[in-house]
Amino acid sequence: MSAGPKDVYEYEDALNLTGHGRYNVGLLFACFMVIVAMGIDIFGLGIIVTAATCDLGMSLKDIGVLSSMPFAGIILMSYPWGYLSDTRGRKLVLMWAMSGSFISAALSSLAPNWKVLAALRFVSSALSSAAESATYALLGECCNYKSRAKFMLLMTSALMLTPTLYYIWGYLITKLDFSISIIGISYRPWRLLTLVMSLPLGIGALMLWYFSESPKFLANVGRQDEAVEVLKRMYVLNGGDPEKFPVKKLQLEEGSKDGTEKFSLSSLWSQIAPLFKKPLLTRTLLLYYLTFVVYIANNSFAIILPTIFNVFFTSYASSKDSQGFCDLFLATSNTTEVQAEESAVCKDAIEDNTIWAGCAHGLSFFILNALISQCAGKRKILTVVILIVAAGAAILVNNTGEPLSGLIFFYIFLTTAMVFGVISSYFVTLYPTSYRGMVACLGMMVARLSAFAGTNVVSAMLSHSCGTALYGAAGLVLSGAVAALLLPSDCDNLE
């Protein structure tokens, strides 16, 4: 018997019928874990590098190259992950990617030198980068409109939480003192830390097993029956009676298409071309510029933040009152190499203050972002205000005449990270289902390409042109605030 008119629902109407409960919160938690795992995999490398600097005999320049490897991996795979997410499924991509990333990250704990470590972290981040877009698309398409923007911003809180985790792990593990010979490699505390930090990747993949593919994706690629079954499962897990679920068929949005065609260059082009044509062109360029600004300004410093903290607190005790923030980084480029050559016993030395500063940074940013998520309906004004405040802080960092206050302003500058979730939410709400994974992944490619270049530039400039780097970042962030004024009203979205 064919379905009657009352059995056919628009997707958003059908999604609203499933309610908002255990399934949505559980999926948020699973995606949260995946984002945490990805954040630890990418940004946690900073503390691994700091702990391994002496053992691997790295200079500040080597640290910059190694620390930029995760960004290089993301640049390579952002386009393929976007294509696969939009044509093969969000959950499928996430499970395979996170599993592979876990294996590569775990193996990196046995790297004999920093170049092998860089190669394995390149592979690991290339795989874990699938989480950048697929998690937001999966979660966003399983939450009703009322909770969607809030959940998108809560997801970003996961990234804010990651520093607290890996700094605490770093503190506990690097305090250990052991050296075990394994296949000719001296297995020291930083290697154990590397292994422990790979575990969330595997845990995230296992957690996703419980949840279903995005019903929006399934319907969009012609798998209507499966989509209805997933919606029904959500309805039941949220407390509904399976006999009373009314949806039998979904009415697809205009422009939906079967995304299961065979891989080809033409299919790749058909996936990306609409993003750079009217009516999507303007919003695509605007969001990508904001992505470029926020990520080059924030990630270029954030990825080497443990090293920045370590150098700061090592030098602060002997600093003069008249010195500024950047003065502490003069003549530090080869310090670690000299220490490694002069010391008979290499220590995985991380200042205690570095750990506490990192934990405070991560935990406070997590709380701040969670609070900001409660104002999800004011995304545009939040973006403008955050970027203006951050730009002002960057200008003041090296102009206080005293390093500790400079560190406080540097912390405020890093609040540009609060804009990450806002941009991700726009990728979900301003684009059709068929292109959400692609536009987000390409956005992340723009983000990490910016961060890759920025990290190498910042690490090279930190010792002699720190002030110039900060002023340049301030100018970029201010231009981002101007661009954010062109964002659509928060009342405008595709749905």
Side-chain angles (χ1 to χ4, degrees), residues 54-188:
C54 178
D55 205 15
L56 299 182
M58 292 183 288
S59 67
L60 195 57
K61 183 178 179 181
D62 296 333
I63 289 172
V65 173
L66 175 55
S67 298
S68 68
M69 282 299 103
F71 299 141
I74 295 170
I75 293 166
L76 176 69
M77 287 300 295
S78 287
Y79 192 98
W81 286 139
Y83 174 82
L84 292 170
S85 174
D86 284 338
T87 60
R88 297 298 179 264
R90 294 34 165 136
K91 176 190 171 182
L92 181 68
V93 161
L94 283 171
M95 290 190 62
W96 280 103
M98 302 309 285
S99 298
S101 181
F102 164 67
I103 293 171
S104 180
L107 287 175
S108 72
S109 67
L110 298 174
N113 55 60
W114 76 266
K115 293 179 181 179
V116 174
L117 178 61
L120 288 170
R121 301 306 294 206
F122 171 85
V123 174
S124 173
S125 61
L127 294 171
S128 68
S129 64
E132 292 264 28
S133 66
T135 49
Y136 286 97
L138 177 61
L139 183 63
E141 292 168 359
C142 293
C143 295
N144 58 36
Y145 175 68
K146 290 182 179 180
S147 61
R148 185 172 298 135
K150 179 180 178 180
F151 270 33
M152 294 297 101
L153 292 178
L154 283 172
M155 282 278 286
T156 306
S157 298
L159 284 176
M160 309 305 161
L161 182 63
T162 53
T164 301
L165 295 175
Y166 59 69
Y167 274 108
I168 289 176
W169 294 345
Y171 176 77
L172 296 174
I173 294 175
T174 59
K175 289 295 182 183
L176 301 176
D177 185 16
F178 65 85
S179 181
I180 304 171
S181 180
I182 299 178
I183 58 173
I185 295 172
S186 178
Y187 201 89
R188 296 173 51 76

Side-chain angles (χ1 to χ4, degrees), residues 60-320:
L60 195 57
K61 183 178 179 181
D62 296 333
I63 289 172
V65 173
L66 175 55
S67 298
S68 68
M69 282 299 103
F71 299 141
I74 295 170
I75 293 166
L76 176 69
M77 287 300 295
S78 287
Y79 192 98
W81 286 139
Y83 174 82
L84 292 170
S85 174
D86 284 338
T87 60
R88 297 298 179 264
R90 294 34 165 136
K91 176 190 171 182
L92 181 68
V93 161
L94 283 171
M95 290 190 62
W96 280 103
M98 302 309 285
S99 298
S101 181
F102 164 67
I103 293 171
S104 180
L107 287 175
S108 72
S109 67
L110 298 174
N113 55 60
W114 76 266
K115 293 179 181 179
V116 174
L117 178 61
L120 288 170
R121 301 306 294 206
F122 171 85
V123 174
S124 173
S125 61
L127 294 171
S128 68
S129 64
E132 292 264 28
S133 66
T135 49
Y136 286 97
L138 177 61
L139 183 63
E141 292 168 359
C142 293
C143 295
N144 58 36
Y145 175 68
K146 290 182 179 180
S147 61
R148 185 172 298 135
K150 179 180 178 180
F151 270 33
M152 294 297 101
L153 292 178
L154 283 172
M155 282 278 286
T156 306
S157 298
L159 284 176
M160 309 305 161
L161 182 63
T162 53
T164 301
L165 295 175
Y166 59 69
Y167 274 108
I168 289 176
W169 294 345
Y171 176 77
L172 296 174
I173 294 175
T174 59
K175 289 295 182 183
L176 301 176
D177 185 16
F178 65 85
S179 181
I180 304 171
S181 180
I182 299 178
I183 58 173
I185 295 172
S186 178
Y187 201 89
R188 296 173 51 76
W190 72 264
R191 295 184 183 276
L192 175 61
L193 175 62
T194 304
L195 179 62
V196 170
M197 288 170 59
S198 71
L199 296 178
L201 294 162
I203 295 172
L206 289 174
M207 289 179 67
L208 285 170
W209 183 267
Y210 174 78
F211 298 93
S212 303
E213 182 59 81
S214 161
K216 187 76 174 284
F217 166 80
L218 293 172
N220 206 53
V221 297
R223 296 157 65 180
Q224 280 265 356
D225 292 342
E226 292 179 61
V228 172
E229 283 302 311
V230 171
L231 288 169
K232 184 176 181 179
R233 181 179 182 231
M234 293 168 59
Y235 175 76
V236 172
L237 288 174
N238 285 339
D241 184 344
E243 300 299 325
K244 295 181 179 180
F245 188 62
V247 181
K248 303 299 179 184
K249 188 176 180 181
L250 296 171
Q251 183 174 321
L252 300 178
E253 64 189 38
E254 184 179 353
S256 63
K257 59 186 178 60
D258 186 341
T260 58
E261 68 270 15
K262 293 182 179 180
F263 173 83
S264 66
L265 291 178
S266 61
S267 67
L268 281 174
W269 175 245
S270 66
Q271 199 70 20
I272 189 176
L275 303 179
F276 296 95
K277 295 179 179 178
K278 293 183 178 180
L280 300 179
L281 175 61
T282 302
R283 68 182 65 168
T284 297
L285 294 178
L286 176 59
L287 287 177
Y288 283 173
Y289 181 71
L290 281 171
T291 300
F292 162 76
V293 166
V294 173
Y295 279 85
I296 195 172
N298 185 277
N299 284 183
S300 298
F301 291 92
I303 191 67
I304 59 173
L305 192 57
T307 298
I308 291 175
F309 281 157
N310 218 42
V311 171
F312 180 91
F313 288 114
T314 299
S315 306
Y316 179 66
S318 59
S319 66
K320 298 178 182 178

